[in-house]
């Protein structure tokens, strides 16, 4: 729906037009902006279950109006977590991506070694950290 410069009776109405146009611009800008959030959850252990959980957490972030970044399910597509050199490189690249995010979202009760590194980095940079249960309930720590 486009804002019209004329009112319902056909008269030019610049005040109403200006106000409605401003509301329309604001609504469009809010739809366009989506903050980038870093998804932090376990991967090691039950790899299949943890990968599926990370996908669910990413979907949750999308549903909340965010763009999720989950390096722990992206990097294993082409890097080996069992090779120390590649794991360390993946952790480094993950922390670079973390610095581009507005928040760190931590999911689940288990905090893995990799997650500890990410949480520590976020704390050092004073990034906001939010904690969630596996069922998406936000908790305070």
């Amino acid at each position: 729906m486009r804002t019209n410069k004329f009112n319902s009776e056909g008269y030019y109405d610049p005040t109403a037009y200006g106000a409605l146009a401003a509301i329309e611009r604001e609504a469009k800008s809010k739809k366009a902006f989506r903050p980038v959030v870093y998804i932090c959850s376990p991967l090691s252990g039950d790899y299949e279950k943890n990968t599926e959980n990370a996908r669910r957490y990413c979907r949750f972030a999308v549903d909340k109006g965010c763009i999720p970044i989950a390096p722990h399910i992206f990097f294993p597509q082409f890097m080996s977590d069992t090779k120390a050199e590649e794991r360390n490189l993946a952790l480094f690249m993950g922390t670079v991506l973390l610095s581009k995010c507005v928040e760190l979202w931590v999911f689940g009760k288990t905090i893995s070694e990799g997650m500890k590194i990410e949480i520590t980095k976020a704390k050092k940079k004073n990034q906001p950290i939010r904690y969630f249960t596996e069922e998406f309930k936000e908790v305070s720590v």
Side-chain angles (χ1 to χ4, degrees):
M1 181 176 163
R2 292 268 303 141
T3 304
N4 196 329
K5 293 182 182 184
F6 299 91
N7 66 20
S8 61
E9 295 173 354
Y11 295 104
Y12 179 65
D13 192 351
T15 304
Y17 170 75
L20 291 172
I23 290 168
E24 195 174 81
R25 280 192 305 276
E26 185 179 338
K28 284 182 183 176
S29 69
K30 286 183 179 178
K31 288 181 184 176
F33 178 75
R34 285 181 171 256
V36 180
V37 298
Y38 192 100
I39 304 300
C40 181
S41 66
L43 183 64
S44 58
D46 188 343
Y47 181 83
E48 296 299 320
K49 179 182 179 241
N50 290 340
T51 299
E52 183 54 38
N53 282 341
R55 286 187 186 116
R56 290 183 325 111
Y57 305 148
C58 288
R59 182 68 226 192
F60 171 74
V62 169
D63 291 344
K64 291 296 182 185
C66 299
I67 299 170
I69 299 291
H72 63 297
I73 60 173
F74 174 61
F75 292 144
Q77 303 299 311
F78 53 89
M79 299 178 77
S80 173
D81 196 45
T82 60
K83 295 179 183 174
E85 187 176 317
E86 288 194 14
R87 175 177 167 69
N88 290 335
L89 179 57
L91 285 168
F92 169 76
M93 293 189 302
T95 58
V96 170
L97 291 173
L98 173 60
S99 71
K100 309 299 182 197
C101 297
V102 297
E103 291 181 334
L104 173 69
W105 288 13
V106 180
F107 288 89
K109 291 183 273 187
T110 304
I111 305 294
S112 68
E113 289 303 313
M115 291 171 69
K116 286 179 187 173
I117 292 168
E118 294 163 339
I119 293 166
T120 300
K121 291 285 185 183
K123 284 180 179 177
K124 282 183 183 177
K125 294 192 177 267
N126 292 319
Q127 278 182 295
I129 303 172
R130 295 173 68 185
Y131 292 86
F132 298 88
T133 66
E134 290 181 4
E135 294 78 31
F136 313 113
K137 181 180 179 215
E138 189 163 5
V139 295
S140 57
V141 175

